[in-house]
Amino acid sequence: MTAAVFFGCAFVAFGPALALYIFTIATEPLRIIFLIIGAFFWLVSLLLSSFIWFMAATLTDNKHEPRQRDLLIFGVLISVLIQEMFRFAYYKLLKKSSEGLKSINPGEKAPSMRLLAYVSGLGFGIMSGVFSFVNTLSDSLGPGTVGIHGDPPQFFLNSAFMTLVIILLHMFWGIVFFDGCEKKKWYTLLAVLLTHLLVSALTFISPYSGLNLVLAYIILVLTGIWAFFVSGGSCRSLKLCLLCQDKDSLLFNQRSR
Amino acid sequence: MLTFMASDSEEEVCDERTSLMSAESPMPRSCQEGRQALENGEGAAQWRGQESEEDHEEDPDRYACSGVPGRPPGLEEELTLKYGAKHVIMLFVPVTLCMIVVVATIKSVRFYTEKNGQLIYTPFTEDTPSVGQRLLNSVLNTLIMISVIVVMTIFLVVLYKYRCYKFIHGWLIVSSLMLLFLFTYIYLGEVLKTYNVAMDYPTLFLTFWNFGAVGMVCIHWKGPLVLQQAYLIMISALMALVFIKYLPEWSAWVILGAISVYDLVAVLCPKGPLRMLVETAQERNEPIFPALIYSSAMVWTVGMAKLDPSSQGALQLPYDPEMEDSYDSLGEPSYPEIFEPPLPGYPGEELEEEEERGVKLGLGDFIFYSVLVGKAAATGSGDWNTTLACFVAILIGLCLTLLLLAVFKKALPALPISITFGLIFYFSTDNLVRPFMDTLASHQLYI
């Protein structure tokens, strides 16, 4: 296909994550390290789930197409479960190391759990997005015509948008998940797991219709709003930010009424 | 063959590049008494050691002994933590750059993935009919290669012990010449061929003469730190590309495994050649060799020492024989040879801590990391997942090694953990994850 497709899809899928990385993470070495450790945890979870799928596939040893698809669905569900387990494991690790950091460094501000939630979510998301999409992206540089056998011609664009939604969702899930763990609200963890399963299950629907993408974006917006309120945002702070006002001017406006 | 001889000396020279040392500068003289307890290195891993917190409460004089005297307590740990994370990033960046250069070359220039014969150190071919024979041949190749490396390292240590400096320097200069001129010429030729760009001989000569000459000057004499780092990254990448091209498939993986075991043994065992090298250098308070170590620190201090005797207190650090336990005294004296002070007319300028501390990584580590990632990129049917997984695994291994360095504070082998992770992730991603992800991608499912 063309370079335009390659660059377009690359920036659609990875642009926001890259921007987030450059503006919030690249400046602080500690955050970069936590990001990479988060990516590593996701990678290990993928490894484990691939191993389970592989074992299941070789043990059943069946060449029937529906059986293979069932196994794949099973693989996807197991993978989601294992990813969330590893998110929890990463939370535990961060909790332990953060206690160590705090007790050793009374003067220095250790990164807060909220920041680490964001960084870890982004780490998971970036790794997940990259693994899903980078092979497709490198194929888009080569020759070929998309959809020549009747497949949807927007294959690359669909994949790019889906990758974007997954990356952002992982980030929001990270924030919500860690907050749930901190406040011991276990239903939050369950909600994150179910949402993740839902989003993955949506991809089982045939990609011909854009339905799975639209639904995924709706879930993204809802999860984003949830994460916003969980991390301390409010309608008031949003208004302050959007109107480019600081707190004093808002108070002044209120007082003058 | 001249090329292979160069790689011969390069390999062996690569080999004592494979230790990781931290260039933390020792404390000023005024704090010597407070530092005795810290010199053993325990409890100094501030940003990790949960066990050491109570020690710090009991020894307030430790806190005062940070690089700049008179700093409030607690700041020592803060500095260590900040340096810890910063050092990790200071090493991530060059390692990543080297890998990017190698992977980009492997994926675009076909020359480095074509099979065009083998080095004389791996004489057994892998084009055998049976799997068992192939495995046997690769193990034999590995044994030969590792024994060549061991013999060369011991030879080098013996030369160093008997102070045959001229010979060693001549050897290093010849091998850098080979890398900077011959291998660069070949690389440039292949890149131009791939992109079908015509270049006339005068331009070529001008380009690569300048490149090589500036490289020799920067690496062996003095030059801006960034330029020196860039050249070291480039020669590591070139060397890694040579290995990727000339090592047969299975032999490469077995050699990677064997060399990390060798690195572990050579650096940690009391009679290991690399450890003896490091200790001898420390005893004599000399730098080991220029051009074998990648250093990430800025070194303004020593230049200023020569100008202002009043700031001698902070600057006797490099030559302090008491700092036996700290790894940096190894590295510090090499600074005047590598780096020229940028502002010679600046007497009495108080140096900030940040400028003095840095971490050093041997070039052999760069080379073997890049070989692993490059091999992952070269084999495997155009699969990027494997390359990325190996990349992340190596970075995590490097992170862990630096953590251990912060805990133990002595020269540590940088290869074992990273290469182990890299190998595990390569084989598991190639065999397990790749079919899974490919099947998912073909059905357009997302996890």
Side-chain angles (χ1 to χ4, degrees), chain A residues 208-252:
Chain A
Y208 281 96
S209 60
L211 190 61
N212 57 346
L213 213 53
V214 169
L215 287 174
Y217 271 92
I218 293 175
I219 294 178
L220 173 73
V221 168
L222 291 173
T223 322
I225 293 174
W226 187 11
F228 178 72
F229 284 109
V230 147
S231 54
S234 61
C235 295
R236 192 165 158 270
S237 63
L238 188 63
K239 191 165 145 192
L240 276 174
C241 174
L242 288 174
L243 296 175
C244 295
Q245 288 170 343
D246 53 1
K247 277 189 233 158
D248 297 329
S249 72
L250 196 65
L251 274 172
F252 178 75

Side-chain angles (χ1 to χ4, degrees), chain B residues 341-355:
Chain B
L343 299 169
Y346 232 121
E349 172 89 308
E350 177 123 60
L351 252 297
E352 289 181 26
E353 276 279 305
E354 274 92 344
E355 258 71 82

Side-chain angles (χ1 to χ4, degrees), chain B residues 300-312 315 341 343-349:
Chain B
W300 308 52
T301 56
V302 183
M304 310 244 174
K306 293 187 182 125
L307 302 161
D308 185 9
S310 65
S311 53
Q312 276 295 326
L315 300 160
L343 299 169
Y346 232 121
E349 172 89 308

